[in-house]
Amino acid sequence: MKIKLLNAKLLILALIFVVAIMNMTVSSIDLIDYNTAAFVSDLQGTEVVVGLQENMELLQNTACALAEDRDIVRNLMEIASQGYSLKNIDSISNSIHNYYNVISNLDFVDSITVISLAGQFIIGDDYFIENYDVQHWFDDGVVDEQDGFLIEVFEHASNGEKTISAAKVVINPDTNEPLGIVMVKMYLEELLFKLQNDYRIADVDIFLEFDRGGLYLIDNELVEADNTTIDFSSLYDREAVQVLNYTIPGSSNRLVFVVDLNSLNQHEQVANNRQYFVNRIFILTLRIGAVILLALVLVARPIIKALSSMINVAQELGDDYTEYQVGIDKLVETAKFIEENLHKKIKHLVYYDETTGLANRKMLKTFYNKYMEKDEPFVVMLLDIKRFKRINDLYGEAIGNRVLIDITDRLLSSLSALSADFIRYNGDEFLIFCELNKIPTTIEECFEKQVNEAFFKPLLYADTKPIQVDFNAVAIVCPTHVSDEDDMIKKLYILLGQKKSMNDSTPLVFSCDLYAKYTRAEVIKDCLRMAIHSGEFVVNYQPMIDHNKKICKAEALIRWNSKQLGFVSPGEFIYIAEKTRMIIDLGYWIIEKVASDLEVMITQGRAVQISINASPIQLMEHDFVNYTKRILDRHGIDYKYICIEITEGILLEERSIAKHNIKAFQDLGIAIALDDFGTGYSSFSYLKEYNLDVLKIDKIFIDNASEKDYAIIGIMSQVADILDMQIVLEGIETQEQFDKVSKYGLIQGYYFSKPLVWNDFNNLLMTN
């Protein structure tokens, strides 16, 4: 059968079209593969380096903790003054060994060493090297490094392997002179293998270059070199690699990742994503090719349908796709749009929250820089949803997501006039950026009118109870009160921590005074660590007298004169000591001091009962009673000379261990006093339940007392008599007050005596 020339020409034309389309498709896929792989590779590299930075910071924190270890500091002080002994070496080695147990889960820590500057030796967990000279890298400037510092690459003293270390100088607390150096090390070989393992989505060669050479991990083999000027273009002549350059945080060392993009494309998630689009594009290409062939024989109209399908794919990649008039001439433009916008779709998935559609925390720096470039002050507000975890727990994650979406919608609507930008920063936290001049009133009033009022009505769902949404809100004005975005976030979270202890809906706005209180609290926290051992605390004694003004008892009161801060009131440091649990050591120090002073009074034959305030934190310690008993027994103190003062808060919590300790003290013969009665719930029921010994009536009944107040004191005295409790009235300052209430019980206050140092109190006992 003879084929007509016309048919042959049509066939040739169709083949040309098919080849052109396939070539275009393959080229587009190759370009998409490369751009996508390079983008994902860069994201992964940044994630690995951020993880390395966090590990470096953790190394420095570990070094700082070791540098403040009491045993290490004490031994280095002894070595500096007396020379070292085997006892010192064993003690330091044991301290190091203890820290190994703590950091055993940190796979990047390989070695901990302590260097004595005076003894010129270095000691690790299982080695000791004398005549070790640190002058080749030790600089006096590092003494002032508060957060530790990184030591550039050098050879490990015990095995010669190259390491990078976080270090902290150990300071003599008495002289502020350097005693030694603590170093937390990791071997460069293990670091490279760890980085390679962290870069989990592709095959990667890693190059670590430092001043005296480099260490390279190439094809899973380690290579050392003295040359630090590698030409990567000659070393890797294939196109499918990407070179990523970084600097190790805190050092000048250069870190280079050479990523095999082909292996990245073979990663399961990347490959699945790629395969999806490749399949769609190939299917569409085949359809278009088939339509072209059919159009040459029949008509061109089916091509339009196939092209419409390709446009649908383009629209899936971005809302900014232009709806072209459908035609064959738009095929190239559509394919080009897919090529250019695939990486944008991936970027959106990375930088935007899937649930709310808001930017996520990775956009913080972008937003911050955007507002900084305007050169105008702006406000950043952090909203923390109260009790959001309870919503998830009660109704499930699906309802929790619906709540987040509705909160987002209300915020966007209520703050639309401010042209604000929003970030879903954490699961239940939102950041709001807006220019300060867009806020018509104060920040507090703006929040009340545009946020609180928007959430006055609860969220309603068919399958839940009405959900009332409230926020812990804090705000800061930038750049007035911040130096960069990290400083901003730090200060916002400081505010949030304080806001959560308040019970109101007004936002807490950053101020210098507020921050000064926080920083002072942090300084107090740091000073407290050494205050006990440096002799900064003293115990004062305030007498308790009867109606004849005879001293019957006294209360031990802690006072602190800090070398750095001067006098610090108990109202400031007791709360911090309780929050950090340093109150436990401080409480035992007070008991030890009181027992020592009582021992002197007993020897002189004029001992009186001493009241000691016990923190709720200490009262819930399992060994509190036994530890106290050992201190008293060591000084030979009869238990009747001790009274433990507690607050009613510990009774309201109804902790079983607290009840047990109170009963155990009473079984020993130690009295229990309830302090500040009348300032809280003041329930008589737990006076009966706990069978307490002493009731101390707070000074609020004495200050500006009326006849009604004195009558109330009389009634409380009658109740105390019924319960066989002794009354102590606090805050007595005038003769009139003394005359009115001395008949009810013992008197404590400035009327008779202020709190006295030990020598003055002892002299007062002699003359009383």
Side-chain angles (χ1 to χ4, degrees):
M1 183 176 64
K2 184 177 180 180
I3 300 176
K4 293 182 179 180
L5 180 60
L6 180 61
N7 291 339
K9 289 181 178 180
L10 287 175
L11 181 59
I12 293 172
L13 183 60
L15 289 174
I16 292 174
F17 270 112
V18 170
V19 171
I21 292 172
M22 292 300 294
N23 183 65
M24 179 192 68
T25 303
V26 171
S27 299
S28 298
I29 290 172
D30 289 342
L31 186 56
I32 290 171
D33 281 349
Y34 181 83
N35 289 340
T36 302
F39 177 76
V40 174
S41 170
D42 186 56
L43 284 181
Q44 181 67 18
T46 301
E47 179 182 340
V48 172
V49 172
V50 169
L52 175 60
Q53 182 176 1
E54 293 174 352
N55 288 342
M56 289 299 185
E57 291 174 358
L58 191 52
L59 284 178
Q60 289 177 266
N61 292 339
T62 304
C64 289
L66 279 161
E68 295 177 1
D69 183 85
R70 296 178 181 177
D71 289 337
I72 291 177
V73 174
R74 176 179 55 78
N75 280 285
L76 290 178
M77 289 175 67
E78 290 180 4
I79 292 169
S81 60
Q82 305 170 15
Y84 73 83
S85 65
L86 290 178
K87 180 180 177 182
N88 297 133
I89 302 304
D90 288 341
S91 179
I92 293 175
S93 179
N94 288 336
S95 296
I96 293 173
H97 182 73
N98 291 337
Y99 272 87
Y100 273 116
N101 294 332
V102 175
I103 63 175
S104 59
N105 61 326
L106 306 180
D107 58 1
F108 52 84
V109 177
D110 298 295
S111 175
I112 299 176
T113 59
V114 175
I115 299 172
S116 168
L117 297 178
Q120 289 192 332
F121 63 77
I122 179 170
I123 183 170
D125 184 44
D126 56 359
Y127 64 87
F128 171 73
I129 300 174
E130 295 184 277
N131 300 322
Y132 182 75
D133 182 14
V134 300
Q135 297 306 317
H136 62 285
W137 57 263
F138 180 75
D139 183 350
D140 290 340
V142 303
V143 174
D144 298 326
E145 292 286 347
Q146 298 297 320
D147 299 325
F149 55 94
L150 289 179
I151 299 174
E152 298 291 347
V153 175
F154 69 100
E155 294 182 352
H156 195 287
S158 66
N159 55 24
E161 293 190 32
K162 288 183 172 60
T163 65
I164 188 168
S165 304
K168 181 71 171 66
V169 176
V170 182
I171 299 299
N172 189 321
D174 298 330
T175 65
N176 287 329
E177 295 295 325
L179 293 170
I181 303 166
V182 173
M183 294 193 297
V184 184
K185 306 176 180 179
M186 59 181 173
Y187 294 115
L188 294 189
E189 293 185 6
E190 294 186 10
L191 173 60
L192 294 188
F193 280 111
K194 172 178 170 53
L195 293 175
Q196 184 188 56
N197 184 61
D198 290 345
Y199 199 101
R200 57 190 177 278
I201 64 171
D203 295 336
V204 61
D205 291 343
I206 303 177
F207 298 79
L208 178 61
E209 299 180 343
F210 39 88
D211 291 342
R212 291 168 292 177
L215 188 64
Y216 310 137
L217 183 60
I218 304 175
D219 293 334
N220 292 320
E221 293 187 3
L222 285 168
V223 179
E224 289 192 40
D226 296 329
N227 180 20
T228 60
T229 57
I230 292 180
D231 182 4
F232 292 102
S233 61
S234 62
L235 186 61
Y236 296 92
D237 55 358
R238 59 186 184 273
E239 293 183 359
V241 297
Q242 184 183 30
V243 180
L244 305 174
N245 289 276
Y246 303 97
T247 299
I248 293 183
S251 72
S252 60
N253 300 330
R254 181 188 180 207
L255 186 63
V256 180
F257 293 164
V258 180
V259 183
D260 184 347
L261 298 183
N262 287 332
S263 66
L264 188 146
N265 281 325
Q266 294 171 5
H267 186 271
E268 181 179 359
Q269 293 181 351
V270 177
N272 289 342
N273 185 63
R274 171 186 179 276
Q275 192 60 47
Y276 169 77
F277 287 103
V278 169
N279 289 344
R280 294 294 297 272
I281 291 172
F282 268 120
I283 290 171
L284 290 173
T285 302
L286 292 174
R287 287 179 180 176
I288 293 171
V291 170
I292 290 174
L293 291 174
L294 186 59
L296 293 174
V297 178
L298 300 174
V299 292
R301 294 179 64 183
I303 298 177
I304 305 302
K305 293 183 179 179
L307 184 57
S308 297
S309 298
M310 197 170 200
I311 290 173
N312 291 334
V313 174
Q315 289 174 337
E316 288 181 9
L317 293 177
D319 296 333
D320 56 345
Y321 178 72
T322 303
E323 183 72 39
Y324 293 112
Q325 183 178 356
V326 178
I328 298 175
D329 59 325
K330 302 303 181 184
L331 178 62
V332 175
E333 294 180 29
T334 304
K336 185 177 181 181
F337 180 85
I338 294 174
E339 170 190 324
E340 293 175 349
N341 286 274
L342 180 59
H343 71 282
K344 293 180 182 179
K345 185 67 173 180
I346 295 175
K347 182 177 180 180
H348 187 274
L349 293 174
V350 172
Y351 288 101
Y352 288 84
D353 176 53
E354 182 179 358
T355 302
T356 63
L358 298 177
N360 62 29
R361 64 187 302 158
K362 293 182 180 179
M363 290 291 286
L364 173 64
K365 190 177 187 70
T366 301
F367 280 9
Y368 182 85
N369 291 338
K370 167 188 169 183
Y371 278 83
M372 285 294 292
E373 289 170 359
K374 297 179 181 180
D375 201 24
E376 293 288 343
F378 59 96
V379 176
V380 180
M381 186 176 296
L382 174 62
L383 302 185
D384 169 76
I385 306 172
K386 294 182 180 180
R387 303 174 296 278
F388 182 71
K389 182 178 182 300
R390 184 171 180 271
I391 295 173
N392 271 338
D393 292 342
L394 283 177
Y395 305 120
E397 186 177 350
I399 294 295
N401 287 340
R402 288 168 62 186
V403 169
L404 288 171
I405 293 170
D406 288 343
I407 288 175
T408 300
D409 291 342
R410 287 198 187 184
L411 288 175
L412 290 172
S413 175
S414 64
L415 297 174
S416 59
L418 302 182
S419 301
D421 287 305
F422 297 80
I423 291 177
R424 185 186 176 192
Y425 193 70
N426 275 327
D428 57 355
E429 295 174 354
F430 296 86
L431 284 177
I432 303 173
F433 288 73
C434 70
E435 297 176 32
L436 183 60
N437 59 20
K438 294 285 182 69
I439 298 177
T441 57
T442 65
I443 296 173
E444 292 86 348
E445 290 178 2
C446 177
F447 180 84
E448 177 63 30
K449 291 181 179 179
Q450 297 187 262
V451 177
N452 276 347
E453 289 185 7
F455 289 92
F456 179 77
K457 294 182 179 180
L459 302 177
L460 302 176
Y461 305 104
D463 43 358
T464 71
K465 294 181 179 179
I467 297 176
Q468 186 66 53
V469 175
D470 298 298
F471 299 101
N472 290 310
V474 297
I476 193 166
V477 178
C478 308
T480 307
H481 293 130
V482 303
S483 58
D484 55 32
E485 71 273 13
D486 291 334
D487 184 48
M488 177 190 75
I489 290 296
K490 181 188 76 172
K491 289 177 178 176
L492 282 173
Y493 273 108
I494 289 171
L495 288 177
L496 185 61
Q498 298 182 40
K499 178 62 184 174
K500 287 184 177 180
S501 64
M502 303 177 182
N503 189 25
D504 60 67
S505 60
T506 305
L508 186 61
V509 181
F510 182 90
S511 69
C512 293
D513 290 341
L514 193 65
Y515 191 63
K517 290 180 181 178
Y518 168 79
T519 53
R520 176 171 172 81
E522 291 300 304
V523 173
I524 289 174
K525 185 188 301 181
D526 292 337
C527 292
L528 268 174
R529 301 182 193 281
M530 299 301 296
I532 298 176
H533 304 289
S534 58
E536 295 181 3
F537 286 107
V538 295
V539 172
N540 288 358
Y541 295 92
Q542 186 170 35
M544 303 179 199
I545 59 173
D546 61 14
H547 65 282
N548 294 319
K549 299 183 181 179
K550 178 182 178 182
I551 299 175
C552 302
K553 299 183 179 185
E555 181 178 0
L557 300 168
I558 185 72
R559 296 292 183 264
W560 181 20
N561 285 294
S562 169
K563 295 176 182 177
Q564 179 176 341
L565 301 170
F567 177 77
V568 184
S569 71
E572 282 188 289
F573 72 81
I574 291 296
Y575 169 76
I576 296 172
E578 289 183 330
K579 190 175 179 181
T580 59
R581 297 186 64 81
M582 286 188 277
I583 192 67
I584 296 174
D585 289 340
L586 182 57
Y588 287 137
W589 180 88
I590 295 171
I591 295 171
E592 183 77 42
K593 183 66 173 65
V594 168
S596 175
D597 292 343
L598 265 172
E599 188 176 7
V600 174
M601 286 191 283
I602 292 171
T603 303
Q604 295 174 345
R606 50 175 174 271
V608 295
Q609 188 183 73
I610 303 296
S611 293
I612 301 172
N613 291 282
S615 163
I617 303 296
Q618 197 163 24
L619 199 60
M620 287 187 285
E621 287 289 295
H622 288 277
D623 61 346
F624 180 38
V625 176
N626 289 334
Y627 202 107
T628 301
K629 183 176 180 298
R630 287 198 297 270
I631 294 174
L632 299 177
D633 291 346
R634 187 167 62 250
H635 290 276
I637 305 301
D638 192 325
Y639 303 142
K640 69 181 181 180
Y641 289 120
I642 297 295
C643 176
I644 300 295
E645 291 193 11
I646 63 174
T647 58
E648 62 181 331
I650 190 65
L651 305 182
L652 293 172
E653 289 189 16
E654 297 185 350
R655 300 289 184 91
S656 59
I657 182 61
K659 287 185 177 180
H660 171 80
N661 284 341
I662 291 172
K663 183 64 167 57
F665 275 129
Q666 291 178 315
D667 290 344
L668 289 174
I670 293 175
I672 301 295
L674 181 61
D675 196 13
D676 300 331
F677 187 75
T679 59
Y681 290 92
S682 304
S683 171
F684 288 104
S685 63
Y686 53 65
L687 297 182
K688 178 182 177 182
E689 178 185 353
Y690 282 86
N691 192 28
L692 304 177
D693 304 291
V694 181
L695 185 65
K696 299 190 74 175
I697 299 177
D698 192 82
K699 67 191 296 294
I700 62 170
F701 292 98
I702 304 299
D703 295 339
N704 303 314
S706 63
E707 290 302 323
K708 184 181 294 185
D709 293 314
Y710 290 127
I712 293 173
I713 293 173
I715 293 173
M716 287 191 287
S717 175
Q718 293 177 23
V719 173
D721 288 340
I722 294 172
L723 297 175
D724 196 23
M725 296 178 68
Q726 185 179 36
I727 288 285
V728 176
L729 295 112
E730 300 179 291
I732 307 302
E733 298 182 357
T734 67
Q735 181 69 47
E736 179 186 0
Q737 292 172 342
F738 178 80
D739 293 340
K740 287 281 189 180
V741 299
S742 60
K743 60 186 175 182
Y744 296 122
L746 298 184
I747 301 301
Q748 180 179 352
Y750 275 44
Y751 166 73
F752 182 75
S753 174
K754 65 179 181 179
L756 302 171
V757 297
W758 160 242
N759 288 334
D760 292 344
F761 175 70
N762 196 29
N763 291 336
L764 183 62
L765 279 177
M766 281 193 248
T767 59
N768 181 248

